[in-house]
């Protein structure tokens, strides 16, 4: 039996997610994604007004590279 979990994330009109939604999208904790970002690893991100955002295309590329 295969169980598939569903999660809801908010995506801005230009395809960005905040760190909390990006972590949920990737199945990671918010803190893990934050730690990766501070160490320069993980998916590409952009900083806007003091907040870190992740583009859906970058998250999908990161997932693809892990396979």
């Amino acid at each position: 039996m295969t169980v598939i979990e569903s999660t809801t994330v908010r995506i801005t009109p230009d395809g960005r997610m905040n760190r909390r939604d990006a972590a949920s999208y990737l199945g990671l904790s918010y803190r893990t994604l934050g730690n990766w970002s501070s160490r320069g690893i993980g998916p590409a991100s952009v900083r806007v007004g003091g907040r870190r955002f992740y583009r859906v295309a970058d998250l999908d590329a990161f997932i693809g590279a892990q396979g």
Side-chain angles (χ1 to χ4, degrees), residues 16-17 43-55 58:
R16 292 180 291 146
M17 286 186 226
S45 62
V46 294
R47 197 166 186 100
V48 178
R51 296 182 65 199
R52 180 110 6 228
F53 289 93
Y54 299 82
R55 296 191 194 307
D58 292 334

Side-chain angles (χ1 to χ4, degrees), residues 18-40:
N18 65 26
R19 182 175 290 156
R20 192 165 305 280
D21 288 327
S24 180
Y25 185 82
L26 294 172
L28 300 171
S29 77
Y30 172 82
R31 287 185 164 219
T32 296
L33 197 53
N35 287 337
W36 285 0
S37 178
S38 68
R39 294 171 49 199

Side-chain angles (χ1 to χ4, degrees), residues 55-66:
R55 296 191 194 307
V56 175
D58 292 334
L59 296 175
D60 289 340
F62 178 76
I63 291 168
Q66 302 307 302

